Amino acid sequence: MSGEKISNPSGSVQKQPPVATRRAAPHALPALPYADSALDPVISAQTVGIHHGKHEKGYIDNLNRLVQGTEFADMSLEKIIAATAGKADKIGVFNNAAQAWNHAFYWRSLRPNGGGDPPAGLKQKIEAAFGSVADCKAALAKAAAGQFGSGWAWLVLEGDKLKAVNTGNADNPLTRGQKPLLTLDVWEHAYYLDYQNRRADYISAVLDKLMNWGFADENLRGRPWLV
Ligand SMILES: [Fe+2]
């Protein structure tokens, strides 16, 4: 996809990369960065297809319906999330915007033949915060397994330090002043067809075989993530 042209206040035109978070309504379902079957056998093509094509698409369709004709219609997902977080009367808009953001981020947090050793810069930060990559994975597994009910586990940057955290339902570390680097979806729809109630098996398989440490490293260095 080519970049979009953005007018700045002086009237000249700059070439900007197509950053997901800059977009306003109608929000589109981002294409997966790989085929539905690319994560098999850790996550089956059936799970990926339903998760992306039904669940994620549902959040985006709901969001477009909810923001039409409102003050949120021209906002990016990140702006909607910031504007609605913690507001009881906007919970529907928040939930659907955050789930749209979280899912786009989740698919990029995974990659076929992932896992292994993180890039050097990220590895240093991991070792400073957790002791080792294995300890970081253990902390992420604990955050993911310890999330009661639906939610997410995240590797985040808080200040200058990495942390493993979890959030419930649609909640997102952006609203807590933390910078997300990687996420793992622990809603049942993410694993139930493949693992049934064995959430811990899904978590350990994904951490060992699908983690996209390169994506986390890019986020650590502030590179915009694309869809
Ligand atoms: Fe999900």
Side-chain angles (χ1 to χ4, degrees):
M1 188 187 295
S2 63
E4 57 188 310
K5 287 182 175 175
I6 305 286
S7 293
N8 67 21
S10 67
S12 62
V13 174
Q14 292 176 291
K15 189 95 166 170
Q16 295 281 343
V19 179
T21 51
R22 188 176 294 123
R23 301 242 178 95
H27 300 273
L29 176 68
L32 288 174
Y34 34 70
D36 284 12
S37 59
L39 307 180
D40 192 74
V42 180
I43 305 176
S44 68
Q46 187 186 21
T47 291
V48 171
I50 293 171
H51 196 173
H52 176 249
K54 304 290 184 188
H55 290 279
E56 183 178 358
K57 184 174 187 302
Y59 298 125
I60 290 165
D61 290 347
N62 286 340
L63 178 67
N64 283 328
R65 185 171 44 78
L66 289 168
V67 300
Q68 192 174 25
T70 75
E71 72 263 41
F72 307 114
D74 294 327
M75 292 185 187
S76 66
L77 291 179
E78 284 180 358
K79 284 197 171 151
I80 297 172
I81 290 167
T84 57
K87 294 185 179 168
D89 61 330
K90 304 294 186 209
I91 187 70
V93 178
F94 173 82
N95 281 341
N96 286 287
Q99 285 292 81
W101 194 99
N102 294 352
H103 279 89
F105 198 78
Y106 168 65
W107 298 119
R108 281 147 192 82
S109 295
L110 310 180
R111 70 175 179 87
N113 303 311
D117 229 16
L122 175 62
K123 191 175 178 185
Q124 257 183 358
K125 297 284 278 185
I126 286 175
E127 288 171 348
F130 300 100
S132 68
V133 174
D135 289 330
C136 173
K137 285 165 60 179
L140 285 169
K142 187 176 174 189
Q147 172 54 43
F148 184 77
S150 297
W152 301 81
W154 305 83
L155 180 67
V156 300
L157 184 67
E158 185 179 84
D160 194 37
K161 191 168 182 192
L162 300 187
K163 280 183 154 183
V165 300
N166 55 29
T167 60
N169 298 316
D171 280 350
N172 176 307
L174 290 171
T175 65
R176 306 172 179 190
Q178 298 166 329
K179 182 181 181 59
L181 303 183
L182 277 181
T183 195
L184 182 55
D185 188 342
V186 292
W187 284 59
E188 286 186 347
H189 66 226
Y191 61 86
Y192 218 84
L193 288 172
D194 301 327
Y195 295 87
Q196 295 79 49
N197 61 319
R198 294 175 285 111
R199 184 193 281 195
D201 291 350
Y202 157 74
I203 293 165
S204 66
V206 169
L207 288 173
D208 285 342
K209 296 172 185 164
L210 297 182
M211 277 288 92
N212 187 351
W213 295 116
F215 180 64
D217 188 59
E218 289 174 5
N219 290 320
L220 181 65
R221 290 186 283 115
R223 184 177 163 189
W225 54 286
L226 312 179
V227 296

